[in-house]
Amino acid sequence: MYYNNERKNTYIVTECIIVIRKWLTLISLFIFSQIIWIHSVNANQTDLQLKTDSSILMEATTGSILYEHNSNQRKYPASVTKIATAIYAIENANLDDIVTVSENARYAKGTRVYLEAGEQVTLEKLLYGLMINSGNDAAVAIAEHISGTEEQFAIDLTNYLIEKTGIQNTNFTNSSGLFDENHYSTAYDLATIVQYAMKNETFMKFYNAKELRWIGESWDTTIVSHHRLVNGEIPYEGITGGKNGYVPQSRYTLATTAKRDNMQLIAITLSGNKNDIYNDTIKLFDYGFSSFHEVVINSNTTYTLNDRLYSNTDPIQFYIHNEQSHTTKIKEGGKLLIVNNLGETIKELHIQDVTPKPTMQNIEVSMSSIEPALYNEETPNNNIIASLLIVIFISILFFSRVR
């Protein structure tokens, strides 16, 4: 009788454990589904369904990346290359220089401003021909004037921009953007080059020029920008400049900037058809202007870690999505991370160690009354969920062993 009761009790306990395990499994699946659903919603909020192969949206003042798609994928930039050529020429030569056009420049392939061999033109006029009419002959003439040959110019140009901007995935082999397998860049690098160039006021007068009366030895006309957002063919509020490009191997490429209030945006769209590059650029600008706001961390804000005190001497500016929040994390050596509530790093930089040097007086005080510095870090909701899942998983394992 006792044996039967014991077996009955064991049976009841076992059945209870089975029921508990089933409920725990269902709860776990439910929580996982919520996590997946949450992340899907966040991803869909920034899915602009762009048609170009590679794109990026950067805020020019802070360098904040507001959107990107394959932005580190190598692409052929085509005539967007001329932005790089222009800023290099502006910073390494004089606009009043008289350039004598060579036979080589005269017969440059592709779009031209119809320069003649031996024609003498100011560097300033060549830069207008380069940026407004995308003249490849102007690009070659500029390159030869500055570096002797176009090949040497391309080397000088690449090295200069690496030094000035830190780009890591760009190599130029010519000054115009004509196709070459070794002439490549990325959306991110191109945005970085544009960001650098925009700081130069002289560059901006060529970059946003809509038209120019061109009087040359063999061509008398008014040249008009080929960029449809710059020339007004496609109206959009706040456009400040741009450069378009095309070679069959790259398809159409586009670099465009726009400003509203204090927000300056850089959009790069690469490898699309003629309409897609403009439609995607507008989508990027609409998204940036409507969905982000600026955050400023005041100068001399202090952070404590392991009895070390760190502070930023200058204000820290960045842009964040309107539906996101942010926290700051200080790491060893003064590395400051600004992280959104999804756990993504928005910005990282190094700030100064301002820990006071110890003196005999404060050493004595510290021996008796100093309290350890506490660094409080906001815990994301996802960490709480993850912890709960771990507890559930351990519980399942435990009950499995009991059974």
Side-chain angles (χ1 to χ4, degrees), residues 30 42 54 93 120 222 231 333:
F30 173 76
N42 287 327
S54 176
Q120 292 190 318
T222 297
N231 67 26

Side-chain angles (χ1 to χ4, degrees), residues 239-293:
I239 295 296
T240 58
K243 185 71 192 77
N244 62 304
Y246 173 80
V247 291
Q249 296 85 348
S250 73
R251 297 192 291 163
Y252 290 90
T253 62
L254 200 68
T256 319
T257 54
K259 181 178 180 180
R260 293 183 186 174
D261 298 324
N262 292 325
M263 182 182 276
Q264 298 187 77
L265 298 182
I266 301 168
I268 306 291
T269 51
L270 302 177
S271 194
N273 69 37
K274 191 172 184 178
N275 292 321
D276 288 344
I277 56 171
Y278 289 100
N279 293 336
D280 285 2
T281 295
I282 291 171
K283 283 184 180 180
L284 287 167
F285 283 153
D286 285 346
Y287 175 67
F289 286 126
S290 65
S291 302
F292 290 83
H293 65 277

Side-chain angles (χ1 to χ4, degrees), residues 37-161:
W37 182 82
I38 290 169
H39 281 281
S40 297
V41 169
N42 287 327
N44 289 335
Q45 285 178 348
T46 56
D47 182 7
L48 302 184
Q49 298 183 345
L50 304 185
K51 295 183 178 180
T52 47
D53 288 353
S54 176
S55 61
I56 195 168
L57 181 68
M58 175 188 288
E59 201 287 317
T61 305
T62 64
S64 298
I65 305 302
L66 311 186
Y67 185 91
E68 70 86 30
H69 174 68
N70 295 331
S71 64
N72 288 309
Q73 189 177 95
R74 287 184 180 180
K75 293 290 182 182
Y76 303 123
S79 284
V80 173
T81 301
K82 292 182 172 93
I83 291 173
T85 296
I87 187 60
Y88 181 76
I90 290 165
E91 295 186 348
N92 291 276
N94 297 314
L95 297 184
D96 295 332
D97 285 356
I98 301 298
V99 179
T100 301
V101 179
S102 71
E103 194 82 9
N104 185 45
R106 158 68 178 82
Y107 289 102
K109 296 178 181 179
T111 311
R112 300 166 54 207
V113 286
Y114 300 99
L115 300 170
E116 293 295 334
E119 184 174 354
Q120 292 190 318
V121 190
T122 64
L123 178 62
E124 181 177 24
K125 184 176 179 179
L126 289 175
L127 285 167
Y128 277 119
L130 177 84
M131 295 299 289
I132 298 176
N133 206 60
S134 204
N136 291 345
D137 48 356
V140 175
I142 291 169
E144 291 178 341
H145 173 71
I146 295 175
S147 297
T149 67
E150 188 176 18
E151 292 76 16
Q152 185 59 49
F153 178 86
I155 294 170
D156 296 341
L157 173 62
T158 303
N159 291 336
Y160 183 79
L161 290 174

Side-chain angles (χ1 to χ4, degrees), residues 25-37:
T25 301
L26 288 172
I27 293 170
S28 299
L29 290 172
F30 173 76
I31 294 175
F32 272 120
S33 68
Q34 293 304 299
I35 294 174
I36 294 170
W37 182 82

Side-chain angles (χ1 to χ4, degrees), residues 265-384:
L265 298 182
I266 301 168
I268 306 291
T269 51
L270 302 177
S271 194
N273 69 37
K274 191 172 184 178
N275 292 321
D276 288 344
I277 56 171
Y278 289 100
N279 293 336
D280 285 2
T281 295
I282 291 171
K283 283 184 180 180
L284 287 167
F285 283 153
D286 285 346
Y287 175 67
F289 286 126
S290 65
S291 302
F292 290 83
H293 65 277
E294 184 182 24
V295 177
V296 178
I297 298 176
N298 293 331
S299 57
N300 301 319
T301 301
T302 56
Y303 306 85
T304 305
L305 177 67
N306 298 333
D307 295 331
R308 306 301 298 179
L309 192 64
Y310 300 92
S311 178
N312 55 301
T313 55
D314 299 314
I316 301 171
Q317 298 171 276
F318 59 94
Y319 280 80
I320 190 169
H321 195 281
N322 294 337
E323 297 181 1
Q324 295 177 2
S325 58
H326 78 278
T327 58
T328 54
K329 302 177 182 180
I330 189 70
K331 301 292 185 180
E332 292 288 347
K335 184 178 183 179
L336 182 67
L337 300 181
I338 301 170
V339 182
N340 65 19
N341 55 299
L342 303 178
E344 300 166 339
T345 299
I346 302 170
K347 191 179 184 74
E348 64 177 68
L349 65 158
H350 281 86
I351 58 177
Q352 289 187 344
D353 187 334
V354 294
T355 307
K357 294 182 178 179
T359 64
M360 290 303 297
Q361 182 177 358
N362 60 34
I363 287 175
E364 291 174 0
V365 171
S366 67
M367 294 296 290
S368 58
S369 62
I370 193 167
E371 296 180 359
L374 296 177
Y375 173 69
N376 294 323
E377 191 173 301
E378 206 172 288
T379 304
N381 291 334
N382 286 353
N383 288 350
I384 297 173

